[in-house]
Amino acid sequence: MTVDNPHITLDELKRLTDEVPVMLACFDVSTQRCVYANSRYARLGGLTPEQAVGKTVTEIIGADAAARIQPMVDRVLREKVAVTYSRSLLTTQGAERWIEVSLIPSGTPEVDRTFVMISDISKHRHAEMENRKSSERLRKFMAASLEGVAFHVGGMITDVNPPLLKMLGYSSEDMVGHTTLEFVPLREHARVRQVLTSGEELSYESFARHKDGRVLPVEYSVRDFDWDGKKQRLIIVRDLSERRAAEERIRFLALHDSLTGLPNRAQLDERLNHLIGSAHKRDTQFAVFFIDLDQLKRVNDSLGHSFGDMLLSGVAERLLEFCEAAATPHGKPWLARLGGDEFVIVFPQGARVASEAFSRSLQATFQMPVDTIGRKIRVTASVGVATFPDDGDTPSQLLKNADAAMYLAKAAGRDTTRFFDQSIAIAADRALIIEDELDYALRNDEFELYYQPEVSADGKRIVGVEALIRWRHRTRGLLGPDEFIPIAEGLHLILPIGQWVLDTALVQVPLWRKLGWADARVSVNLSTNQFRAPGFTDSVLRSLSRLGLGGDCLE
């Protein structure tokens, strides 16, 4: 194949310049008139290329635009160098456009022509401005964010925000240009490397190293991010210190008594479960001391509950000091408060001799008064002891049996200690059975009254009778009051039982009088709970009134 004309023609060159996406023109320096313009340049003045030729810059683009570029033209002619600059202009529709103008000198030794090349860079400039605005918005967000923010490329930190600097105590110079691993504790390096290499977007809890050496619990949220045309990794760092502290506080409150700060029942159960598991493995014993203060209700009634709370706190401090001082190579006694006036000490030795010695020391701690805001109050305690495994192999069973032994100590006169034995268990089981059956007995007339005569001093006449209650149990036969009255008082059944005794005994008085005992009178034993009950006097008067009796017939 041969080429007849290897040279490009002027027409072809003109067509080419009209097609390129730039504005081209050439001006004669001496006349300052256009000698060539492509169609895009000519349209700046609303002209065709042919109309633009021979016109000055002012005639083509206007006086204002010409005056704006004249300094650059002067520089081209003076320094004989190409000059490039950019500027904005408004279209006829009022839209802003950006152009880049290159002025190129031509001719030697003197410049006789100047080429003008203008490119529309509006898209690039708008994109650049949007990117700048986006970057500025991001920087404002980073500055305003309450959480720490950092960017890194391949583990090298490129930017950080002020909250992160404040969180970790570093300056921007301390962090930018350094690796992320420098600000993570050594034990977390493997995890951070794994996240770096995996490229995953995820959130996870870890730790960060403060400048002062502290290790802070944090949550890292890692995301991919494009910024300034570069792919970076965005890390949001949340300080979990307050949340962890709140969680610890919640856990503390869940496991500790709010008044004394001692472990509570929930933590006591945890402790006992742990000790039981350990004791099973090692074949060892331990003892549970159930402590009930004897005088707290009297203090609350006379001095108020606030004073009682301060007294409880003082007792708790004393018991805590006692446990600290009683530590041995076998372990340290462990103190908890169940609530009210009840405390529990878990003694790490279960042998009877050791427990009895500990019990004597414990009772001795209550001999000295407790100083409570200037008042010295002596507090005694009734203490019950249960031993693992003989007296129970679950927390509830040990506490129940220690509690039962404590009630035995109260019944023995208080200010003493009793150890659990099976007779207590049998009595407690019997009491539970009686609790279940008392209400049935009342509803089904299983109670009976026996009358014991009261005779004069000379033994010659009956001056009255005392009504004595008995329970005709359907399987156990006749039961005396000692077997069920204390239980009835605890269940508040003593009020209806006492009313039944009063009414039944008074019914007999008219019958005896009819039989010839003119001054018949009956004595009835009533519980102190009945005397304290609202409306007690009215209930007695009603019982007498129903039978037409006076108060002289009732003692």
Side-chain angles (χ1 to χ4, degrees):
M1 177 180 171
T2 60
V3 178
D4 295 332
N5 184 5
H7 304 291
I8 188 168
T9 65
L10 184 58
D11 289 339
E12 289 175 322
L13 185 58
K14 285 181 179 180
R15 284 200 305 271
L16 177 62
T17 57
D18 281 338
E19 294 298 328
V20 293
V22 293
M23 292 168 267
L24 297 172
C26 180
F27 286 85
D28 184 280
V29 172
S30 60
T31 64
Q32 296 186 355
R33 294 188 178 274
C34 177
V35 296
Y36 170 75
N38 72 351
S39 57
R40 292 176 186 269
Y41 185 88
R43 282 199 294 270
L44 286 175
L47 306 170
T48 64
E50 291 75 19
Q51 292 171 332
V53 173
K55 294 187 181 298
T56 64
V57 173
T58 301
E59 291 172 329
I60 297 174
I61 64 174
D64 289 343
R68 199 177 296 122
I69 70 171
Q70 189 59 47
M72 272 65 78
V73 174
D74 294 341
R75 183 185 170 195
V76 170
L77 298 177
R78 183 177 64 252
E79 299 179 12
K80 301 178 182 178
V81 294
V83 174
T84 299
Y85 66 94
S86 60
R87 72 180 184 88
S88 64
L89 53 86
L90 293 176
T91 67
T92 54
Q93 290 78 27
E96 186 181 42
R97 291 176 61 197
W98 282 87
I99 58 173
E100 183 179 76
V101 181
S102 295
L103 303 177
I104 305 165
S106 178
T108 54
E110 295 298 327
V111 175
D112 57 5
R113 292 190 179 187
T114 304
F115 289 96
V116 181
M117 183 170 64
I118 303 173
S119 302
D120 188 339
I121 59 170
S122 298
K123 289 183 179 179
H124 300 292
R125 180 54 62 93
H126 288 313
E128 183 182 282
M129 291 173 66
E130 283 301 316
N131 190 49
R132 189 178 295 119
K133 289 179 182 177
S134 177
S135 297
E136 187 61 28
R137 284 196 297 269
L138 180 60
R139 289 192 181 280
K140 287 181 179 179
F141 163 75
M142 289 176 63
S145 173
L146 298 177
E147 298 170 331
V149 178
F151 288 93
H152 73 84
V153 176
M156 188 68 69
I157 297 173
T158 59
D159 201 3
V160 292
N161 73 337
L164 182 60
L165 298 175
K166 183 179 179 181
M167 184 192 304
L168 301 182
Y170 294 100
S171 66
S172 180
E173 291 75 18
D174 292 332
M175 297 193 73
V176 175
H178 293 260
T179 64
T180 56
L181 288 175
E182 294 179 49
F183 307 99
V184 176
L186 185 62
R187 65 177 183 268
E188 294 294 307
H189 280 199
R191 177 75 188 279
V192 173
R193 284 196 189 95
Q194 188 271 328
V195 173
L196 282 171
T197 55
S198 70
E200 291 181 88
E201 293 192 353
L202 74 164
S203 297
Y204 64 101
E205 292 187 6
S206 182
F207 297 90
R209 185 171 56 80
H210 194 277
K211 189 174 184 178
D212 64 11
R214 287 181 293 133
V215 174
L216 304 179
V218 297
E219 180 187 60
Y220 293 121
S221 293
V222 185
R223 301 290 183 269
D224 288 328
F225 195 84
D226 288 325
W227 189 13
D228 288 340
K230 299 177 182 176
K231 185 176 181 180
Q232 304 197 37
R233 292 280 269 178
L234 165 67
I235 307 174
I236 298 174
V237 186
R238 296 182 181 89
D239 188 348
L240 301 182
S241 299
E242 289 188 6
R243 191 176 89 184
R244 291 286 176 84
E247 289 172 352
E248 286 299 315
R249 179 63 180 162
I250 291 170
R251 176 169 171 77
F252 181 87
L253 292 175
L255 296 176
H256 291 80
D257 171 52
S258 59
L259 176 64
T260 63
L262 292 175
N264 61 9
R265 174 61 186 266
Q267 192 175 169
L268 174 62
D269 285 343
E270 286 185 7
R271 181 80 175 188
L272 289 175
N273 275 315
H274 173 75
L275 283 175
I276 288 170
S278 177
H280 272 306
K281 292 177 182 177
R282 300 177 183 177
D283 195 23
T284 56
Q285 296 177 298
F286 65 87
V288 174
F289 285 68
F290 197 109
I291 303 165
D292 186 276
L293 305 184
D294 293 327
Q295 293 91 357
L296 186 64
K297 186 178 187 306
R298 176 172 58 83
V299 171
N300 285 336
D301 290 344
S302 59
L303 300 175
H305 286 274
S306 296
F307 189 92
D309 285 347
M310 287 185 279
L311 178 61
L312 275 171
S313 296
V315 171
E317 288 180 16
R318 179 173 292 184
L319 288 174
L320 198 57
E321 291 172 0
F322 167 72
C323 289
E324 293 286 342
T328 70
H330 297 284
K332 183 175 74 175
W334 189 83
L335 175 66
R337 181 187 176 213
L338 293 189
D341 54 4
E342 297 176 338
F343 296 84
V344 169
I345 294 178
V346 181
F347 183 55
Q349 301 176 64
R352 185 63 175 252
V353 173
S355 294
E356 287 178 346
F358 182 78
S359 172
R360 288 191 293 271
S361 299
L362 175 60
Q363 287 290 357
T365 64
F366 290 100
Q367 299 308 307
M368 293 295 292
V370 178
D371 192 339
T372 307
I373 56 172
R375 298 194 61 161
K376 296 187 180 297
I377 307 292
R378 184 168 183 268
V379 180
T380 60
S382 299
V383 182
V385 187
T387 302
F388 174 86
D390 295 340
D391 302 331
D393 59 1
T394 66
S396 60
Q397 195 172 16
L398 284 168
L399 289 171
K400 171 192 164 188
N401 290 341
D403 186 35
M406 180 274 294
Y407 274 105
L408 194 64
K410 279 195 178 293
R414 309 188 180 211
D415 191 17
T416 189
T417 300
R418 288 290 182 269
F419 284 76
F420 180 82
D421 60 39
Q422 287 305 312
S423 64
I424 297 175
I426 292 169
D429 289 342
R430 175 178 285 184
L432 285 174
I433 294 171
I434 289 175
E435 281 185 15
D436 290 338
E437 295 177 339
L438 267 175
D439 186 57
Y440 177 88
L442 185 61
R443 287 184 286 105
N444 290 275
D445 297 324
E446 290 188 355
F447 294 113
E448 299 176 356
L449 287 185
Y450 286 73
Y451 299 96
Q452 179 172 289
E454 297 173 349
V455 298
S456 61
D458 58 10
K460 294 181 178 180
R461 64 189 182 91
I462 297 176
V463 296
V465 294
E466 179 182 359
L468 302 174
I469 189 171
R470 297 293 184 269
W471 180 3
R472 181 71 64 179
H473 194 279
R474 57 189 182 278
T475 59
R476 294 171 56 199
L478 196 64
L479 302 180
D482 290 344
E483 293 196 61
F484 61 89
I485 290 298
I487 298 171
E489 287 183 327
L491 294 174
H492 302 294
L493 281 172
I494 195 63
L495 298 181
I497 290 175
Q499 190 66 44
W500 178 86
V501 171
L502 180 66
D503 291 339
T504 303
L506 286 175
V507 166
Q508 290 296 125
V509 174
L511 298 177
W512 289 326
R513 288 182 176 180
K514 284 182 180 180
L515 293 173
W517 184 15
D519 56 351
R521 62 197 299 266
V522 66
S523 298
V524 176
N525 295 306
L526 299 180
S527 165
T528 55
N529 290 347
Q530 285 178 271
F531 283 106
R532 295 195 189 103
F536 166 70
T537 303
D538 291 338
S539 69
V540 174
L541 291 174
R542 282 196 301 270
S543 296
L544 290 168
S545 178
R546 276 196 300 269
L547 297 168
L549 299 174
D552 61 324
C553 70
L554 175 66
E555 179 181 353

